[in-house]
Amino acid sequence: MLLAAAAGAHSAVAASLRQDGAVAEAGAAHAAVVAELQIAGHPRQLRVPGRSGLADRWAVPATLLVMYSAGQRVDSEASLLVLGGKDWEHLVPGQRLRATGRLKAAEPGQTDAGILSASSVPVTLGAPDGWQEGPGMLRRSFTAAAATLGGDARGLLPGMVTGDTSRLDAGLDGAMKTVGMTHLTAVSGANCSLILGTLLLAARSLRLPRRAAAAVSLAGLGMFVLMVGPDASVLRAALMGAIGLTSLAFGRAGRGLSFLCLAVIGLLLTDPGLATRFGFILSVLATLGIVVAGRRIMDWLPPAVPRWVAAGLAVPLSAQVFCGPVIVLLQPQFSAYALPANVAAAALVPPVTLLGTAAVPLVQLVPPLAAALMAVAGAFAGGVAGVARFFTALPGAVLPWPEGLFGLTTMALFSVASLATLWFALHRAAAVRLAVAAHSWAVACLDLSLAVRRGRHGQRGLAVRHGRHGLVDRHGLVDRSGRGTLRLCKPTSGRNLQWLLPRPNAPGLPRRGPPPGVT
């Protein structure tokens, strides 16, 4: 409750800063401003043209430092989203610049204080620090080197390695959205898990102690984060990937769940606005699915299945089951081939991530070696693109699904039913025992309802049979063992309380039929 109160107080203060003051007033009035900004993240290309008619539009997260509006200078630190043209494509985090534009208020639920529609070319005021400029230079060099590859690899390889989707083909982007593979085109927890797992395995193979191996692995993960850019999403992905890998590697779901809860609490205390971002919610749910259900699904599979195959099936299935209800809120549709597509691409992702990551620093140090690594990684990236396009072309790849709360509820029920079906298919003997138990429970419920009905009407129907322990009262459907018949006890008065159920093929007198010639 103390942590919840702290997060609520933090949210209230942040909301007051966004909704009150000179920045909020300028946004409400759609005022023309001159702003001094510091870039807070990597530019992201927008697929839909804006009102200005520009086809090449970019969205850049930035921090407002100084604003000039109506002849007044306002020193205020607030987060903005800048929308601009092609001149905003190559900005790097930490860079300071000046731009003019029109400021408007952000939509309800967004964490930004406003949206600045830039009307001028950004003027550089200061370069970023060295630790911020280096990752941007590496990203640009890697993207330029990947442009020499052919096919879909030229745009997909930078997206899978560094998260740069500026040259990703629009058709391929749509195909990956259709089959639920968009997490591969961003630096996600899967990338961080692969890097951390490879470093941990290498350290353990050198017979380093567990703590030393963990320290080396975390140091390598930190270098990877610095290389691709220490954005908030990358830091969150590194944290979630480390938690998921710890749970799978050491088989301690309880400890992994504790780490996940601690990480979520810490992140929300640092930035309560994460609670409204679907990226954070999906990241947490995917990690939760891997921690809670990933290991159990692996244990469900027969011992003959190799562990790497079991992990390749369990990880995407558990993540898909937990993320499905929230994905429906974003896109009210069901990707019928999301699971098989991710399973088919699972074997192609590690070579792309590992070889591509190794090639990033070598692009400027040893270009021939980097070109060889990128050629191999590009071939696997082309395979990932082929998987996405193949499953998208299949009939029924996208099915409509209800929207809103009803769609979320039905998708959650469908996910539970999918897991139950998988468990029944892999545990047939237990499924038979459950079916027999369910049948006994259903018979008991029917007998109880019949007894209640008889008691309500003041009637009594009993089937009396002689048993080993004397007379036994029975009612309802009575099984006469050894005779293959059921006796029905009807709640009516009379001498014969038991009536034989009709059997169509029973021996006895034939039924009287119509005389010959009569139709």
Side-chain angles (χ1 to χ4, degrees), residues 131 135 138 187 191-197 199-200 213-231 234-235 237-239 242 357:
W131 67 273
L138 289 176
V187 180
N191 300 69
C192 299
S193 298
L194 285 172
I195 299 297
L196 185 60
L199 294 175
L200 184 62
V216 171
S217 303
L218 291 177
L221 181 61
M223 294 180 62
F224 171 75
V225 170
L226 288 177
M227 183 181 64
V228 300
D231 292 344
V234 177
L235 294 174
L239 186 59
T357 303

Side-chain angles (χ1 to χ4, degrees), residues 5-404:
H10 191 175
S11 301
V13 172
S16 65
L17 293 177
R18 291 195 307 269
Q19 298 174 2
D20 301 330
V23 178
E25 294 176 359
H30 290 200
V33 299
V34 178
E36 293 184 6
L37 307 168
Q38 184 175 17
I39 304 301
H42 294 286
R44 176 174 54 89
Q45 187 176 17
L46 301 178
R47 303 292 183 183
V48 181
R51 295 181 179 178
S52 60
L54 293 176
D56 196 1
R57 299 173 65 233
W58 295 81
V60 185
T63 301
L64 176 65
L65 302 178
V66 181
M67 181 183 70
Y68 299 91
S69 176
Q72 296 182 353
R73 173 190 170 105
V74 178
D75 294 322
S76 176
E77 190 169 317
S79 60
L80 297 179
L81 182 65
V82 183
L83 303 180
K86 191 174 180 58
D87 298 322
W88 295 79
E89 177 182 358
H90 299 294
L91 300 178
V92 295
Q95 185 176 0
R96 292 192 57 178
L97 50 88
R98 181 189 296 115
T100 61
R102 191 168 294 276
L103 185 65
K104 64 178 182 179
E107 298 293 334
Q110 294 184 356
T111 58
D112 297 323
I115 300 176
L116 178 64
S117 298
S119 58
S120 66
V121 177
V123 179
T124 302
L125 299 179
D129 297 333
W131 67 273
Q132 289 180 313
E133 186 178 7
M137 183 174 59
L138 289 176
R139 284 166 59 98
R140 292 192 298 270
S141 301
F142 185 79
T143 302
T148 60
L149 301 176
D152 293 325
R154 68 177 63 187
L156 183 58
L157 182 59
M160 295 183 65
V161 176
T162 63
D164 186 0
T165 58
S166 58
R167 300 189 180 184
L168 185 64
D169 182 69
L172 179 59
D173 186 29
M176 299 188 75
K177 289 180 180 178
T178 300
V179 294
M181 296 173 62
T182 53
H183 61 94
L184 298 178
T185 59
V187 180
S188 62
N191 300 69
C192 299
S193 298
L194 285 172
I195 299 297
L196 185 60
T198 302
L199 294 175
L200 184 62
L201 182 61
R204 294 295 290 173
S205 63
L206 296 176
R207 300 186 181 276
L208 293 179
R210 179 172 297 181
R211 294 185 177 180
V216 171
S217 303
L218 291 177
L221 181 61
M223 294 180 62
F224 171 75
V225 170
L226 288 177
M227 183 181 64
V228 300
D231 292 344
S233 60
V234 177
L235 294 174
R236 182 180 71 242
L239 186 59
M240 296 301 172
I243 293 173
L245 180 65
T246 302
S247 176
L248 281 179
F250 298 103
R252 297 180 179 180
R255 181 166 295 183
L257 186 60
S258 301
F259 287 157
L260 175 62
C261 295
L262 183 62
V264 171
I265 291 173
L267 289 172
L268 290 180
L269 286 176
T270 305
D271 185 7
L274 290 174
T276 62
R277 298 177 185 174
F278 278 99
F280 174 74
I281 297 173
L282 292 175
S283 179
V284 172
L285 288 177
T287 308
L288 179 64
I290 296 173
V291 170
V292 174
R295 192 76 182 186
R296 290 181 172 86
I297 295 177
M298 291 176 62
D299 295 336
W300 290 354
L301 299 176
V305 179
R307 300 303 292 173
W308 63 273
V309 176
L313 176 64
V315 170
L317 176 59
S318 57
Q320 183 70 24
V321 165
F322 277 70
C323 294
V326 178
I327 294 177
V328 168
L329 297 179
L330 286 173
Q331 297 177 340
Q333 62 186 27
F334 174 67
S335 299
Y337 305 113
L339 179 60
N342 281 275
V343 171
L348 304 175
V349 174
V352 176
T353 302
L354 298 178
L355 297 178
T357 303
V360 171
L362 296 176
V363 170
Q364 295 183 347
L365 298 178
V366 189
L369 180 58
L373 294 177
M374 292 179 63
V376 179
F380 284 98
V384 173
V387 169
R389 293 186 184 276
F390 171 76
F391 282 98
T392 302
L394 294 179
V398 178
L399 302 176
W401 199 269
E403 300 181 5

Side-chain angles (χ1 to χ4, degrees), residues 390-468:
F390 171 76
F391 282 98
T392 302
L394 294 179
V398 178
L399 302 176
W401 199 269
E403 300 181 5
L405 181 61
F406 180 72
L408 184 146
T409 305
T410 53
M411 179 56 72
L413 294 177
F414 178 75
S415 301
V416 172
S418 300
L419 281 182
T421 303
L422 177 64
W423 188 88
F424 285 138
L426 297 175
H427 300 79
R428 298 181 181 179
V432 172
R433 290 194 297 268
L434 285 177
V436 172
H439 174 267
S440 303
W441 179 80
V443 171
C445 291
L446 291 175
D447 288 344
L448 180 62
S449 64
L450 183 60
V452 171
R453 192 184 310 163
R454 283 202 317 273
R456 185 179 300 171
H457 294 285
Q459 297 177 344
R460 177 180 174 84
L462 295 178
V464 183
R465 67 177 177 88
H466 287 275
R468 182 178 302 175

